[in-house]
C-alpha cells in the first residue's frame, strides 16, 4: 500500500466542454491546472485513481538543484522560488523547508564530479560549495573520516503526501474541475487537431490536452499513433518513527539517500538500486535506452513483470470499452523489504540514534524514465493541441511546480513561451545524439 495522502474534495459532474483537459493528477498535472485556473482558463483534470496516488506521493521529497543536469537548471531554480512561497500561494502546509542537500564523496572521481557541477551551476547562484573537516561534521553530525561533500544550502524538501493534494485544492478554488476516479481512455482528434477526450464517464470536448500521465504517458500517446520512448524502474522507500538529533539536510551518502520528515521521522532509501520491470513493451525502446542501460547496468536489476505495466500486453485502449487505466487504478508495486532493512541498518551504522528507529511504513513507486533522463515538455508535432509534460526520470517532484506551469503556458499558446528545446519530444528520432543527464 502507498503512503497516506491528504484528501482533495473532488468535483462530481463531467463538463461537456473545457478549454484544456489534463490527463493525470500528479504534481505536474495539478501544477498545470493551478496555472490555467489562475489565468481564468477553463480546465478539467482527469485522474484515474486519486491525486498523487502514484509517483507524486511515493517520492523522497527532495527539491534539489544539486547534481541536476544543466538542461534542467532554469526550471529547478524557478521551481524552488515557487516552493518557497507555496504555503502562502496555496494557503496550505506543504511541508517545505529550505534544509539544503548534501552529497557525500570520497575519492578523486567524486571530487572532480562535484567540482565540474559547481562550475556549471555557478551562474545560477545556488550558494553551492564543497565542505570538509569541521564544517562537514557540523552539517552531517558525523565525523568526516577523510570524506568531503557537495552542499547546496538553497535546496529543500517538501512533503509529497501533502503537496500535490494542496495544489489540487488550490486549483479547484481557483476554478479548475478535478475529477477522480476518471480515467481517460483515448484522446480524440478531428481534422488533424485535438478535439476531445473520451473518459470512463463520457466525452469532454476541448481545444487542448496536457498529458501528465507519468508511467502511463507512452500508452496514452499510442492512441494518437505517437511512439514515446519510456521505461520504468521501481524505487522502494521506508519511513521511520521519530528520531531525535539526526541530520537536517537531504543527504546522499554511499548508496543511501535520506531526509528528515515534518513528523520527525526520516524517509530513507537505497538510491543506487532500481529494479527494472521487463515486459513486452521493454523491447520496443531498447535501442533508445541502450546508452542508459550500459551506464546504469549495476543498479538496473531487470526482472520479469507481467502485472502493472506488463499489462500493456493487452489490447490498445479504445473509447468504447473499459481500458487498462480503469483496471489498474493505482500502480502499487511491492517494496523490496530486504533492500530497505539493509538501508536502515546502514543508516544505524552511521547514526547510532537510528538503532532504535522502527520502520513505520514502506512502499514502492514506478518511476517513468526517458532515454536521457531529461523530461519531455512540449507540443506533440503530429497532433496540434496536445502538450506532453512527462518523463521526469526520478526527479520531477522538485521541478514539478515550474514544469507544470510551463506545460500549461505551452498548451494555451502563450506567445512569450519558447519552451525548452532540449526537452522536445522528437529528440530521439530526429538524429540528435543521446546525451545522458547527470545526477542520481
Ligand atoms: C521512489 C521515488 C523517489 C523519488 N524521489 C524524488 C525526489 O526526491 N525528488 C524529485 O524531484 N523527484 C523524485 N521522484 C520522482 C517524482 O516523484 C516524479 O518525477 C514526479 O512525481 C512525476 O510526477 P507526474 O505528475 O509526472 O507523475 P505521477 O505522479 O506518476 O502522476 C501521473 C498520474 O497520472 C494518472 N494517469 C495516468 N494515466 C491516466 C489516464 N489515462 N487517465 C487519468 N489519469 C491517468 C496516474 O494515475 C497518476 O496519478 C521519485 C520517484 C519515486 C517513485
Amino acid at each position: 500500500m502507498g503512503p497516506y495522502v491528504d484528501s482533495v474534495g473532488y468535483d462530481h459532474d463531467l463538463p461537456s466542454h473545457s478549454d484544456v483537459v489534463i490527463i493525470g493528477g500528479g504534481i505536474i498535472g495539478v501544477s498545470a491546472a493551478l496555472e490555467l485556473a489562475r489565468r481564468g482558463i477553463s480546465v478539467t483534470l482527469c485522474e484515474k485513481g486519486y491525486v498523487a496516488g502514484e509517483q507524486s506521493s511515493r517520492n523522497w521529497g527532495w527539491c534539489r538543484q544539486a547534481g541536476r543536469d544543466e538542461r534542467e537548471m532554469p526550471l529547478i531554480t524557478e521551481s524552488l522560488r515557487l516552493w518557497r512561497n507555496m504555503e502562502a500561494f496555496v494557503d496550505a502546509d506543504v511541508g517545505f523547508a529550505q534544509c539544503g542537500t548534501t552529497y557525500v564523496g570520497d575519492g578523486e572521481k567524486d571530487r572532480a564530479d562535484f567540482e565540474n557541477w559547481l562550475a556549471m551551476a555557478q551562474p545560477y547562484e545556488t550558494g553551492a560549495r564543497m565542505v570538509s573537516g569541521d564544517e562537514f561534521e557540523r552539517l552531517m553530525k558525523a565525523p568526516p573520516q577523510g570524506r568531503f561533500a557537495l552542499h547546496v544550502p538553497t535546496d529543500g524538501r517538501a512533503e509529497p503526501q501533502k503537496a500535490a493534494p494542496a495544489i489540487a485544492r488550490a486549483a479547484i478554488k481557483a476554478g479548475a474541475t478535478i475529477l477522480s476516479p476518471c480515467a481517460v481512455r483515448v484522446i480524440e482528434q478531428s481534422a488533424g487537431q485535438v478535439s476531445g477526450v473520451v473518459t470512463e464517464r463520457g466525452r469532454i470536448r476541448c481545444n487542448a490536452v496536457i498529458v501528465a500521465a507519468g508511467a502511463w504517458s507512452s500508452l496514452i500517446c499510442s492512441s494518437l499513433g505517437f511512439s514515446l520512448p519510456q521505461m520504468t524502474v521501481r524505487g522502494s522507500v521506508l519511513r521511520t518513527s521519530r528520531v531525535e538529533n539526526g541530520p537536517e539536510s537531504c543527504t546522499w551518502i554511499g548508496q543511501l539517500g535520506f531526509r528528515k520528515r515534518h513528523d520527525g521521522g526520516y524517509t530513507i532509501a537505497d538510491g543506487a538500486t532500481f529494479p527494472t520491470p521487463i515486459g513486452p513493451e521493454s523491447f520496443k525502446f531498447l535501442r533508445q535506452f541502450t546508452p542508459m542501460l550500459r551506464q546504469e547496468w549495476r543498479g538496473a536489476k531487470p526482472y520479469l513483470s507481467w502485472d502493472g505495466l506488463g499489462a500493456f500486453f493487452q489490447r490498445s485502449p479504445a473509447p468504447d470499452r473499459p481500458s487498462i487505466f480503469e483496471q489498474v487504478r493505482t500502480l502499487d508495486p511491492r517494496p523490496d523489504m530486504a533492500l530497505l532493512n539493509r538501508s536502515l541498518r546502514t543508516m544505524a551504522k552511521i547514526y547510532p540514534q537510528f538503532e532504535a528507529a522502527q520502520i513505520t511504513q514502506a512502499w514502492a513507486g514506478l518511476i517513468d524514465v526517458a532515454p536521457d533522463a531529461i523530461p519531455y515538455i512540449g507540443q506533440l508535432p503530429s497532433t496540434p493541441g496536445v502538450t506532453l509534460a512527462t518523463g521526469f526520470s526520478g526527479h520531477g517532484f522538485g521541478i514539478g511546480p515550474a514544469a507544470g506551469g510551463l506545460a500549461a503556458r505551452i498548451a494555451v499558446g502563450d506567445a512569450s513561451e519558447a519552451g525548452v528545446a532540449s526537452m522536445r519530444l522528437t529528440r530521439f528520432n530526429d538524429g540528435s545524439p543521446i546525451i545522458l543527464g547527470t545526477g542520481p
Side-chain angles (χ1 to χ4, degrees), residues 170-227:
I172 292 171
K173 212 166 161 189
T177 299
I178 299 195
L179 301 169
S180 155
C182 184
V184 172
R185 291 178 178 167
V186 293
I187 302 170
E188 290 189 314
Q189 47 184 327
S190 71
Q193 161 79 34
V194 74
S195 56
V197 298
V198 178
T199 78
E200 62 183 303
R201 301 195 204 172
R203 182 173 272 110
I204 309 174
R205 286 179 297 107
C206 64
N207 312 322
V209 168
I210 297 176
V211 177
W216 303 87
S217 295
S218 188
L219 184 61
I220 195 82
C221 282
S222 69
S223 72
L224 295 167
F226 184 75
S227 180

Side-chain angles (χ1 to χ4, degrees), residues 269-353:
D270 181 313
T273 310
F274 287 104
T276 308
I278 301 291
E281 280 292 297
S282 312
F283 299 98
K284 192 168 157 193
F285 301 121
L286 198 58
R287 183 183 61 79
Q288 289 95 333
F289 280 99
T290 300
M292 177 180 283
L293 290 170
R294 267 202 204 112
Q295 183 174 295
E296 305 288 341
W297 63 272
R298 270 198 193 86
K301 296 203 186 320
Y303 69 97
L304 272 182
S305 161
W306 299 101
D307 55 2
L309 287 194
F312 281 4
F313 202 41
Q314 299 195 355
R315 289 181 298 178
S316 299
D320 53 356
R321 58 168 188 254
S323 63
I324 185 72
F325 305 116
E326 290 138 89
Q327 286 158 25
V328 184
R329 290 282 174 198
T330 304
L331 285 168
D332 188 22
R334 211 185 281 267
D336 182 338
M337 288 313 296
L339 191 68
L340 291 175
N341 284 319
R342 194 178 74 196
S343 298
L344 187 57
R345 282 197 302 275
T346 310
M347 191 75 187
K349 274 189 197 143
I350 309 171
Y351 296 104
Q353 58 271 51

Side-chain angles (χ1 to χ4, degrees), residues 84-220:
R84 284 180 203 110
N85 298 306
M86 191 65 82
E87 201 158 323
F89 196 53
V90 301
D91 195 20
D93 177 18
V94 296
F96 183 77
Q98 188 169 301
C99 58
T101 48
T102 307
Y103 280 27
V104 177
D106 65 355
E108 283 319 300
K109 177 165 183 325
D110 284 349
R111 191 177 290 280
D113 285 351
F114 292 172
E115 272 163 6
N116 285 340
W117 188 85
L118 280 170
M120 179 282 293
Q122 217 245 334
Y124 298 98
E125 298 179 352
T126 63
R129 61 182 189 278
M130 295 282 249
V131 296
S132 55
D134 289 350
E135 191 179 11
F136 181 103
E137 187 148 2
R138 264 200 312 281
L139 192 67
M140 290 291 297
K141 298 191 177 168
Q145 295 168 326
R147 292 169 303 190
F148 50 89
L150 169 69
H151 178 60
V152 185
T154 49
D155 283 350
R157 60 178 188 244
E159 292 304 331
Q161 293 95 52
K162 290 182 165 297
I167 297 170
R169 290 194 301 270
I172 292 171
K173 212 166 161 189
T177 299
I178 299 195
L179 301 169
S180 155
C182 184
V184 172
R185 291 178 178 167
V186 293
I187 302 170
E188 290 189 314
Q189 47 184 327
S190 71
Q193 161 79 34
V194 74
S195 56
V197 298
V198 178
T199 78
E200 62 183 303
R201 301 195 204 172
R203 182 173 272 110
I204 309 174
R205 286 179 297 107
C206 64
N207 312 322
V209 168
I210 297 176
V211 177
W216 303 87
S217 295
S218 188
L219 184 61
I220 195 82

